[in-house]
Amino acid sequence: MKVFFNTFGCKTNQYDSALLGQSLERSGFELTGKLEQADWVVVNTCSVTKRGEDKACQWVRKVGREFPGVGIAVVGCSVEVSAGRFRELEGVGLLLGTEEKFRLGEVLRERLERINGSGPALEEQRGRIGLTGKYEGREILSAHAERARAFVKIQDGCDNRCTYCIVPYARGRSRSRPWEQIVAEARALEEAGHYEAVLTGIHIGGYGRDLAGRPSLSVLVEKVLAATDRIRLRLSSVEATEVDSRLIELLSRELRLCRHLHLPLQHGSASVLARMGRKYNPEEYKAALDRVLDSLGHPGLGTDVIAGFPGESEKEFEECFNYIAALPFTYLHVFPYSPRPGTPAALLAGRPPVAAVRERVRRMRELSKKKQENFLKEQLGSRLSVLHESRLSSGVSVCRADNYVRAYHRGASPAGGFILVAERTWRDGVWGRLEC
Ligand code: SF4
């Protein structure tokens, strides 16, 4: 039985799909990268934005239309919060929620073992997410196919309630994975030949609060570094106010901990942050950032920004723009506000006109481009610690530096981490030469 995966959304979803694929293979299914060969298709969905969900819907419709007879299993976040959008679509035979998706192998096997296809055409299982207070134990991921950088999930869910965010409704309360499992997984991925592991989750800054002894994120990082030899670690998105002094100290001295932080801001105006329900104001965010910069100089520094939040006035947008312009971010992820049914913000009035939002997004992305270009220029002449990622058809190697800069060089890359000396800016990165 051949299974094809299509995964939408975040690193945590990519990790979940990799784990699902591994457990399907271990229970006798075969994974295929070719849709036309598939007997079943698994769509791991994302509900953070309407656009992300629309894309998954469109894709499911396409499969149902072009591959009649292929079974479609829709799993994950959108099944928890918008199952109705998928239930009637042609070919959909399984709807499994955020926790239930990990029973995919079992459910598919039960289905196949049913005599003559008896039983309901559509099976739906979801809602356990609301009942789960603990991180459910699962097998560890032993390899991350086709990925230079492996993801290691350390936590799921979130206890915050930012007013625009659907994630807590889709993924439930914050649940930390036992650190022993994470250490074992990082070791397994290192043995499998991965040179980088991205510690990911939904709210990684809250790691350990629900575990005995409350091991913090920095304690976890120390444990993984102590238990591994050469794999480097990268942190996925973490709240700026949750980067503690121990983590900053580790970032400043551990060469195997990437000098790259993604610290979601969402907005730079105090009044909008308050309406978003974010747990800091611009001064507190800046103070947290200054603590990082005082120790790390100018690391790779990304953030998320939402434009067009309900009630966002021209003045509030300019406040946000100027606030961000003054901070040493090296790139911005800019999103137009997307109302998610069931979130408090979706009920707020005063959404700015579409044209105004489009213009605000355009300006923020332009600012991001400038910041990225400035940071690339800062790299010239410096020695970058990089890992190979891929090759262009021209044979040029594409690499990623620990500070998240993309770096290119001629010819093949040595295995593992190596040094490139940045010579000039090139494409969306720098052109470098191997240090002999
Ligand atoms: S911290 Fe806020 S934005 Fe992030 S997942 Fe939690 S509720 Fe959503």
Side-chain angles (χ1 to χ4, degrees):
M1 182 62 65
K2 292 191 175 173
V3 179
F4 177 95
F5 271 83
N6 190 0
T7 304
F8 294 81
C10 63
K11 295 183 180 72
T12 306
N13 239 17
Q14 306 287 340
Y15 172 92
D16 288 347
S17 287
L19 194 67
L20 277 177
Q22 178 181 280
S23 68
L24 282 183
E25 279 186 314
R26 288 185 177 171
S27 59
F29 292 88
E30 188 189 336
L31 300 188
T32 175
K34 297 196 170 69
L35 183 50
E36 63 279 9
Q37 293 178 351
D39 303 296
W40 272 86
V41 163
V42 179
V43 188
N44 192 0
T45 58
C46 169
S47 56
V48 166
T49 65
K50 181 179 179 305
R51 193 153 165 268
E53 212 166 69
D54 291 349
K55 279 190 187 161
C57 268
Q58 281 150 17
W59 196 79
V60 168
R61 262 198 211 93
K62 176 178 171 310
V63 172
R65 195 176 51 247
E66 295 175 13
F67 299 93
V70 166
I72 303 175
V74 179
V75 307
C77 295
S78 293
V79 174
E80 290 296 345
V81 295
S82 350
R85 295 197 63 183
F86 297 88
R87 198 173 286 127
E88 313 301 328
L89 298 181
E90 188 64 36
V92 173
L94 277 180
L95 287 172
L96 298 177
T98 315
E99 276 300 320
E100 289 82 357
K101 72 182 176 199
F102 293 105
R103 294 191 54 249
L104 179 64
E106 252 172 272
V107 176
L108 269 181
R109 187 150 300 293
E110 281 159 17
R111 206 180 166 95
L112 296 171
E113 281 157 6
R114 254 186 246 134
I115 312 300
N116 308 326
S118 61
L122 170 64
E123 276 178 80
E124 184 167 342
Q125 300 177 15
R126 60 193 177 96
R128 255 182 70 72
I129 197 64
L131 312 170
T132 309
K134 227 163 128 300
Y135 193 98
E136 303 262 347
R138 297 194 181 97
E139 59 193 272
I140 63 167
L141 187 63
S142 53
H144 222 166
E146 294 133 37
R147 300 196 70 90
R149 276 181 287 140
F151 298 147
V152 173
K153 184 174 170 180
I154 68 169
Q155 176 275 346
D156 204 338
C158 181
D159 293 339
N160 287 357
R161 284 289 182 275
C162 304
T163 60
Y164 53 85
C165 186
I166 195 73
V167 177
Y169 306 90
R171 285 189 171 262
R173 302 288 316 266
S174 178
R175 312 174 305 286
S176 304
R177 191 178 179 195
W179 64 265
E180 296 84 349
Q181 269 191 28
I182 298 166
V183 164
E185 189 161 278
R187 288 170 70 93
L189 292 167
E190 182 176 69
E191 275 149 32
H194 289 282
Y195 288 97
E196 181 176 308
V198 182
L199 302 186
T200 192
I202 299 300
H203 186 195
I204 70 170
Y207 180 81
R209 291 180 192 157
D210 54 327
L211 296 178
R214 295 172 69 93
S216 67
L217 176 61
S218 41
V219 168
L220 172 69
V221 168
E222 271 173 339
K223 285 181 186 296
V224 176
L225 288 172
T228 53
D229 304 314
R230 59 161 178 70
I231 200 165
R232 75 179 185 187
L233 301 184
R234 189 181 298 277
L235 298 176
S236 68
S237 190
V238 58
E239 299 293 331
T241 48
E242 294 171 345
V243 177
D244 63 17
S245 53
R246 194 167 178 169
L247 191 56
I248 294 173
E249 200 257 329
L250 282 170
L251 283 157
S252 62
R253 70 171 160 81
E254 284 289 345
L255 294 179
R256 285 202 292 129
L257 186 52
C258 294
R259 291 165 309 135
H260 167 219
L261 286 170
H262 190 91
L263 308 174
L265 169 69
Q266 308 301 4
H267 210 279
S269 139
S271 48
V272 178
L273 284 172
R275 294 200 299 277
M276 287 178 163
R278 296 291 283 166
K279 296 191 176 317
Y280 50 78
N281 60 35
E283 292 70 35
E284 287 157 341
Y285 184 94
K286 172 117 182 9
L289 196 54
D290 288 344
R291 282 195 295 276
V292 169
L293 300 172
D294 290 349
S295 297
L296 301 187
H298 198 191
L301 194 60
T303 194
D304 300 332
V305 190
I306 295 176
F309 190 75
E312 184 188 59
S313 63
E314 204 48 57
K315 177 173 169 295
E316 285 172 329
F317 174 74
E318 294 306 329
E319 252 179 73
C320 179
F321 188 90
N322 297 333
Y323 177 84
I324 291 175
L327 294 178
F329 293 117
T330 60
Y331 66 90
L332 314 175
H333 288 169
V334 184
F335 306 93
Y337 169 68
S338 174
R340 306 309 292 132
T343 61
L347 304 171
L348 293 175
R351 287 190 49 204
V354 172
V357 177
R358 206 172 285 135
E359 174 57 10
R360 291 171 190 178
V361 168
R362 187 197 63 73
R363 285 183 57 199
M364 277 294 183
R365 287 184 176 153
E366 196 176 83
L367 178 61
S368 177
K369 202 160 168 286
K370 277 207 199 87
K371 284 183 175 290
Q372 195 181 359
E373 284 162 4
N374 292 342
F375 190 56
L376 294 178
K377 289 187 190 125
E378 263 180 49
Q379 309 310 308
L380 301 186
S382 70
R383 302 168 67 249
L384 294 175
S385 161
V386 302
L387 275 180
H388 178 85
E389 274 193 343
S390 61
R391 280 200 77 191
L392 303 178
S393 54
S394 59
V396 166
S397 283
V398 186
C399 307
R400 183 71 76 169
D402 77 316
N403 64 5
Y404 211 52
V405 162
R406 184 162 281 158
Y408 300 87
H409 71 89
R410 199 175 306 292
S413 299
F418 59 100
I419 300 294
L420 272 183
V421 179
E423 292 182 324
R424 56 188 161 83
T425 59
W426 197 72
R427 288 187 169 205
D428 60 348
V430 294
W431 182 270
R433 64 176 157 75
L434 271 76
E435 188 180 63
C436 307

